[in-house]
Amino acid sequence: MINPTRLHSRLSLIWKITILITLVMLLLIASAGLLIEKRMKEALHSEIEEKGLAIARNLAADCVEALLVDDTIELHQLLRNVTQAEPDIAYLYVVFSTGQVRAHTFAQNLPPGLLSVNPLPPGQFHSHRIFRDNNRLIHDLAVPILGGQAGAIHMGLSQEHITERIHRVIIEITSIMVGLGVIVIIMILWTGKALTHSLTTMTSASRAIGRGELTRRIPQTDGEFGQLADDFNTMAENLEGMIRERDQAVGELKESEELYRSLVENIGLGISFISPDHTILMANTAQALLKGKAPTSLIGLKCFQAFEQRDEPCPDCPGSKSLTSHHPEKSQLKSSSPGGTPTTLSLRAFPIYTKDGSRRGFIQVTEDITTQEQIDRALQRNRNLDAIGILAGGIAHDFNNLLTVILGYIDLTMISLPPQSQEHEHLMEAKKACLQTKKLTGEFLTFAEGDIAPKEKVHLTELIEETCRFTLSGSNIGCRVDIPPPSLWPVEIARNQIRQVLQNLLLNAREAMGEAGGEITIQAENATIDSDSGLPVGAGHYVKITINDQGPGIDKTIAEQIFDPYFTTKPRGADKGTGLGLTICHSIVAKNGGHIMMDQPRGQGASFIIFLPALTEGARQPEQQPPQPVTRTPSPTIDQHHKRILVLEDEVLVSRAIGAMLHHLGYPHAIAERGEEILKMYQGGLTTGSGFDLVILDLTIRNGLGGQETMRRLLEIDPTVRAVVASGYSEDPVMAEYSRFGFLEAMPKPYSLEELRDLLLRLLA
C-alpha cells in the first residue's frame, strides 16, 4: 500500500507544483463543465419554452376555426402535421375547459393522469410543467385557445435531443480545456524547472549543510535568485564560522575538563566536593583510597559518616567554618588508614557560592601528612642533635683541657708518693676516673664532630663481618650475616665511625638478649630510594643494613625517644648507661649522609635499619690526596737533656700543667699564648743559634693564630721544623690527617705524664 507521506517526501518540488496545478486545472474544468451544463440547460429550457409556446400559440390560432365548426378531422390533421414537422414534440392534445379531450396525437387513448400534469388555471397565458415519462423528461406546455373559452392546447416536448446536444457541447468544451490544461502543464514543467532550479540547489545545499558539509555553497546567478544565493552563501559562511568557533570552544572545554580531571585524579591529594549539608557530591580516587573505597561508593553519603564513621559533623569541620567565614579554612584530623594504622590528615576547605551568593558547598582537599610529620620530627631531632652537639663539643673541649691539668698534676703527685701508700692508691682511683671521663668526652666529640672524620671507599661486607666477630667474641650470642648476591655497592664513609655504630648496636642487642643468648641477624642489600620515599635522605643508591635481635624489643611508647640525647632505660652511671649510644649512632650515620631508624618487626626483638650512600658504577670517586711528606734536613745532634720544647697553649691552667710536666721530665721549654708569639720566639731561636727541637701547637687559640695557621708559617720560616699538634677536639681533620699539614704526630687531650714522656722520647731520641 502506498504511503502518501513517504510519497510526498520523495517527490521533487517541480512535481509537487505540477500535481498541484493539475489538480487545480481538473477542478476548474469540472466546475466549468458543471456551470456550462447548467447554463446550457437553462438556455435550452428557455429556448424550448419559447419555441414550444410559439408553436402552441400558432397551433391554437389555427385550431380556432376547426373548433368552431367542430371539425375533429381537421383538428387531428393539424396536430399530426405539427408533430411530424417538429421531431422534438412528443405529443399534442386539445382539451376543453370542461376537461374533455377533443383531439390528440397518441396512437391510442390519452395516458391516464396526463390531464392532471399541467392544468391551466383560468386567466393565465400559459403553463409549463416538467415530468418524467418512461425515463424521459417531458416539458408540458399549455396555451389557452380564445383566452381559454375554447379550452387549451397541450404540447409535450422531449428533452432527449436537448440532453444529447448538451452532452456534445460539454464533451467538446472539456476536450478543449483538457488540451489547454496539458499545454499549461507542459509550460509549467518547462518554466517550473527553470524557476525551481535555484530553489532545488538551495534545498540541496541546505540539506548538505544540515549533514555537516559546511563548505557547501550555491553558484552565483543573476536576478532575485542570485541575490538570494548571495544571502544564503553569506549565511552559510557565518554559520560555518559560528560552528567552527563552537567546535573550538567545545574542544577547549573538553580539553579543559580532561585536564581538570587528570589534575584532580593525579594530584596525589584527596579532593571532594561536599554540599552545605555535608553530602558528598564528588570524590577523586585519592580521596577514596584514604579509606580503601571506590569513588562512586562515596557519592551521596555524609562526609563525616563516609570518612570518619561519625554520626554528626566533626567538631572542627573546616568546611562548615569556611561557609561561615567566606574564607578558606584548614585543620588537622587524627584518623586511621584502611588497615587501622593511625594517620594524621591535613584538611583544607574552600567555600563555593552561586552567582546569586547562595551557598553551593565547599571543596575539601585532604592530605595524609603522617609521613611528613615523621620527617619533620626527624629533621627537628637532627636540629636538636646539632645544637646539642655544638654544646657537647665545646664542653668536651673544655673538659679535655681540664683533664689534661688534672691528669698532669695527679701523675706529678703520684711520683712523689710511695706506691704502697694510701695517698698513692687514692690518686690512682682519681686517675681512673679521669680516664673514664676522657672516654666520655670522646663520646661527646664523636657526637658533636662526626662529620669531620675523613671518608673513604669501604666495602661493607668485610667491615660487618669483622665487627661482628670482634664485638660478640666470648659471648653466648651468635651472629648470622646474610648478604645475598650480587655483591654490595661500595660506600663512602668514615670507616671507624661506622664501625662504632655497628658496635653500639651489637652491644645493645647483646645486653637486651642477656643470659638467655640467641642469635643476631644482620642483613645487607643494595637499595634505590626515590624522592617520595618519606626518608630524610636524598634520592639515590644506598646500602641498606638491617640488624635484628631476639631480645624483648622496644616499647612503642618510647620508640620516638630512643635517639634523643641522654635517654636510656639502663641504670645511670659512667660504666652503665649514659644515654648517648644511640644518639651517637644517629649523629654518625646522619653526618655520613645516611639515615638510621628503628623498625617494629612482627616477631620478637628489636630491629634497626641503616641506609648508607653507595658509590655505584659511574659515580665520581672522591679524590683522596695522599699525605704530602715534608722534606727535612736532619737537625744537629743535641744532648737529650738539652732538647728545647716550644709550646703554644692559651689556657693558663693547661700551660702551667704542661710546663710542670716538661720541667719534671727535664726538658727546657718556653710557652706562648698566641701563634704570633710562637713565630717570633722560633725565629729568634734560629737567629741566636738556640733554636727549638720540638714545637707543640694547640689547634684552637682564642684571639690569635691557631695551631694550623702557625704551623703553615713555621714551615715557611724553617722547612725542617719538627712539630706536634695537640687539641681537645680529637676528631678534627688536622688531628686525623696531621701529616698532610706538616706535623710529625697528633697528641689528643687529655694526655698523661707517661703519654707525654713517650711522645718526646719517640720524637727526640
Side-chain angles (χ1 to χ4, degrees):
M1 185 175 181
I2 297 176
N3 189 334
T5 303
R6 294 184 62 186
L7 179 61
H8 178 270
S9 63
R10 291 182 178 181
L11 291 176
S12 63
L13 180 62
I14 183 63
W15 280 107
K16 291 177 182 178
I17 295 175
T18 302
I19 292 173
L20 178 62
I21 294 176
T22 302
L23 292 176
V24 172
M25 290 292 296
L26 291 176
L27 182 62
L28 291 175
I29 291 172
S31 300
L34 293 175
L35 181 62
I36 291 171
E37 182 180 10
K38 180 179 179 182
R39 296 302 183 193
M40 287 187 66
K41 284 182 178 180
E42 291 176 355
L44 290 174
H45 288 171
S46 178
E47 180 183 350
I48 289 172
E49 184 177 5
E50 292 177 358
K51 179 180 179 181
L53 289 174
I55 295 173
R57 287 190 179 99
N58 292 331
L59 184 59
D62 293 339
C63 291
V64 172
E65 183 177 354
L67 287 173
L68 291 177
V69 293
D70 195 20
D71 187 354
T72 303
I73 296 173
E74 180 65 22
L75 188 58
H76 279 89
Q77 188 62 42
L78 287 173
L79 295 178
R80 289 191 188 95
N81 290 338
V82 173
T83 302
Q84 292 175 358
E86 296 292 337
D88 291 333
I89 297 176
Y91 63 85
L92 287 171
Y93 69 90
V94 178
V95 59
F96 289 152
S97 57
T98 59
Q100 181 183 0
V101 178
R102 186 63 178 165
H104 60 82
T105 59
F106 294 102
Q108 297 179 359
N109 295 328
L110 190 71
L114 183 61
L115 292 177
S116 61
V117 170
N118 186 24
L120 181 64
Q124 285 192 359
F125 294 105
H126 69 275
S127 176
H128 183 190
R129 292 289 187 274
I130 300 174
F131 68 94
R132 185 173 294 279
D133 178 42
N134 293 330
N135 295 325
R136 291 190 307 169
L137 287 178
I138 303 297
H139 293 258
D140 186 273
L141 297 175
V143 178
I145 302 174
L146 294 178
Q149 295 179 2
I153 184 170
H154 287 261
M155 177 183 294
L157 295 175
S158 175
Q159 192 176 321
E160 182 176 355
H161 297 290
I162 297 173
T163 301
E164 290 179 358
R165 288 171 59 189
I166 292 173
H167 286 169
R168 285 195 301 269
V169 172
I170 290 174
I171 290 172
E172 291 174 357
I173 294 174
T174 301
S175 299
I176 293 171
M177 294 188 70
V178 168
L180 292 174
V182 171
I183 294 172
V184 170
I185 290 172
I186 293 173
M187 292 179 66
I188 291 173
L189 288 174
W190 180 73
T191 57
K193 185 175 182 180
L195 293 173
T196 59
H197 174 72
S198 298
L199 294 177
T200 304
T201 303
M202 188 178 297
T203 302
S204 176
S206 300
R207 291 176 178 174
I209 292 176
R211 292 192 301 268
E213 300 177 14
L214 301 179
T215 58
R216 184 72 173 269
R217 297 293 183 269
I218 298 176
Q220 296 288 337
T221 57
D222 297 330
E224 290 80 1
F225 281 109
Q227 183 62 43
L228 183 61
D230 291 340
D231 295 341
F232 182 88
N233 291 338
T234 302
M235 179 193 69
E237 291 175 358
N238 294 335
L239 180 62
E240 181 182 3
M242 293 171 60
I243 293 177
R244 188 184 301 109
E245 293 176 359
R246 184 205 63 182
D247 292 343
Q248 183 179 357
V250 170
E252 292 175 353
L253 181 62
K254 288 183 177 179
E255 183 178 354
S256 176
E257 182 179 358
E258 291 175 358
L259 178 61
Y260 160 77
R261 290 187 179 277
S262 176
L263 177 64
V264 169
E265 287 298 325
N266 298 298
I267 196 173
L269 300 174
I271 298 178
S272 54
F273 181 42
I274 302 174
S275 67
D277 65 350
H278 299 279
T279 301
I280 301 174
L281 305 177
M282 185 280 293
N284 69 346
T285 302
Q287 179 70 59
L289 289 179
L290 288 174
K291 295 302 176 182
K293 299 180 180 180
T296 54
S297 65
L298 299 176
I299 307 303
L301 301 179
K302 301 295 184 182
C303 59
F304 50 83
Q305 294 175 343
F307 298 154
E308 299 302 322
Q309 292 76 50
R310 296 174 58 93
D311 296 329
E312 57 185 12
C314 302
D316 195 29
C317 176
S320 300
K321 293 167 63 177
S322 69
L323 291 176
T324 303
S325 66
H326 304 278
H327 297 289
E329 299 287 346
K330 62 181 180 179
S331 66
Q332 287 189 2
L333 177 68
K334 296 296 182 181
S335 185
S336 60
S337 67
T341 304
T343 59
T344 302
L345 302 179
S346 172
L347 306 179
R348 286 172 290 170
F350 304 87
I352 303 297
Y353 298 91
T354 59
K355 292 182 178 179
D356 59 1
S358 59
R359 300 188 305 175
R360 187 177 180 185
F362 59 91
I363 294 176
Q364 179 170 290
V365 179
T366 306
E367 181 180 8
D368 186 347
I369 60 172
T370 307
T371 302
Q372 185 60 43
E373 278 192 333
Q374 295 172 351
I375 295 175
D376 291 342
R377 284 196 294 268
L379 293 175
Q380 184 61 43
R381 180 185 296 114
N382 290 341
R383 287 192 289 268
N384 293 340
L385 292 177
D386 290 341
I388 296 173
I390 294 173
L391 176 62
I395 293 174
H397 176 266
D398 293 341
F399 259 60
N400 284 334
N401 280 335
L402 295 175
L403 286 174
T404 302
V405 176
I406 296 172
L407 280 173
Y409 285 119
I410 287 176
D411 286 338
L412 292 173
T413 305
M414 287 176 65
I415 291 173
S416 62
L417 295 174
Q420 294 79 17
S421 65
Q422 188 176 11
E423 290 80 1
H424 188 281
E425 183 180 348
H426 291 169
L427 291 174
M428 180 59 71
E429 292 299 321
K431 184 175 181 179
K432 290 180 181 178
C434 288
L435 295 177
Q436 187 67 37
T437 305
K438 176 182 178 180
K439 179 181 177 182
L440 180 60
T441 57
E443 291 183 350
F444 274 136
L445 288 171
T446 300
F447 167 53
E449 302 169 354
D451 60 336
I452 59 179
K455 297 179 182 180
E456 57 183 304
K457 179 180 178 181
V458 177
H459 293 278
L460 286 173
T461 302
E462 179 182 353
L463 180 61
I464 292 172
E465 293 175 346
E466 174 188 333
T467 306
C468 285
R469 286 194 303 268
F470 175 79
T471 306
L472 302 177
S473 176
S475 69
N476 60 345
I477 306 297
C479 184
R480 179 168 60 89
V481 178
D482 183 10
I483 302 178
S487 61
L488 297 177
W489 290 323
V491 294
E492 183 187 19
I493 57 172
R495 178 190 292 271
N496 291 334
Q497 289 184 349
I498 299 302
R499 178 185 286 112
Q500 182 180 352
V501 171
L502 296 174
Q503 287 176 349
N504 287 356
L505 295 176
L506 289 172
L507 288 174
N508 286 348
R510 187 177 72 179
E511 292 179 5
M513 295 166 68
E515 296 180 357
E519 184 179 62
I520 299 174
T521 302
I522 301 180
Q523 296 176 315
E525 59 184 336
N526 298 326
T528 300
I529 295 179
D530 298 327
S531 57
D532 57 352
S533 64
L535 297 174
V537 293
H541 299 294
Y542 291 80
V543 174
K544 177 182 178 184
I545 305 172
T546 305
I547 302 176
N548 295 297
D549 64 42
Q550 295 177 342
I554 299 176
D555 193 341
K556 291 183 179 180
T557 59
I558 64 172
E560 294 186 359
Q561 300 174 265
I562 61 174
F563 294 108
D564 293 344
Y566 309 112
F567 178 82
T568 181
T569 58
K570 303 175 186 178
R572 291 282 183 178
D575 58 347
K576 296 178 182 179
T578 62
L580 288 175
L582 289 178
T583 303
I584 290 173
C585 291
H586 188 281
S587 177
I588 290 175
V589 173
K591 291 174 180 178
N592 277 270
H595 178 64
I596 182 172
M597 62 184 185
M598 189 200 74
D599 194 15
Q600 294 286 355
R602 295 183 179 179
Q604 187 182 20
S607 177
F608 286 87
I609 300 176
I610 303 172
F611 291 94
L612 294 175
L615 287 173
T616 56
E617 183 179 357
R620 189 178 71 88
Q621 299 293 332
E623 297 180 1
Q624 299 290 342
Q625 297 181 358
Q628 299 296 325
V630 178
T631 304
R632 305 177 186 273
T633 302
S635 300
T637 302
I638 302 176
D639 184 77
Q640 178 178 348
H641 297 287
H642 294 86
K643 303 289 186 179
R644 300 185 70 213
I645 310 297
L646 181 60
V647 179
L648 173 62
E649 178 59 61
D650 63 338
E651 295 287 345
V652 176
L653 291 175
V654 178
S655 64
R656 288 177 181 175
I658 294 174
M661 288 189 286
L662 290 173
H663 178 75
H664 173 77
L665 294 174
Y667 290 95
H669 60 277
I671 300 176
E673 295 183 359
R674 301 177 60 190
E676 292 85 351
E677 297 176 13
I678 293 290
L679 296 175
K680 291 180 181 180
M681 295 170 67
Y682 192 88
Q683 182 69 54
L686 292 177
T687 303
T688 60
S690 57
F692 294 93
D693 299 281
L694 186 66
V695 181
I696 300 175
L697 300 176
D698 187 29
L699 270 180
T700 307
I701 300 297
R702 297 183 181 91
N703 301 321
L705 292 178
Q708 181 179 348
E709 180 61 22
T710 301
M711 183 61 186
R712 187 184 67 80
R713 297 190 184 186
L714 284 175
L715 288 171
E716 293 176 355
I717 297 172
D718 179 13
T720 65
V721 63
R722 301 170 66 80
V724 174
V725 60
S727 177
Y729 293 110
S730 58
E731 296 193 10
D732 190 283
V734 178
M735 297 291 290
E737 300 180 85
Y738 54 86
S739 61
R740 290 182 57 191
F741 301 93
F743 295 102
L744 296 177
E745 281 199 28
M747 186 166 58
K749 296 178 181 179
Y751 47 84
S752 64
L753 179 63
E754 293 89 344
E755 291 172 332
L756 177 60
R757 180 189 62 200
D758 293 341
L759 175 71
L760 296 176
L761 289 176
R762 284 197 308 271
L763 299 179
L764 298 176

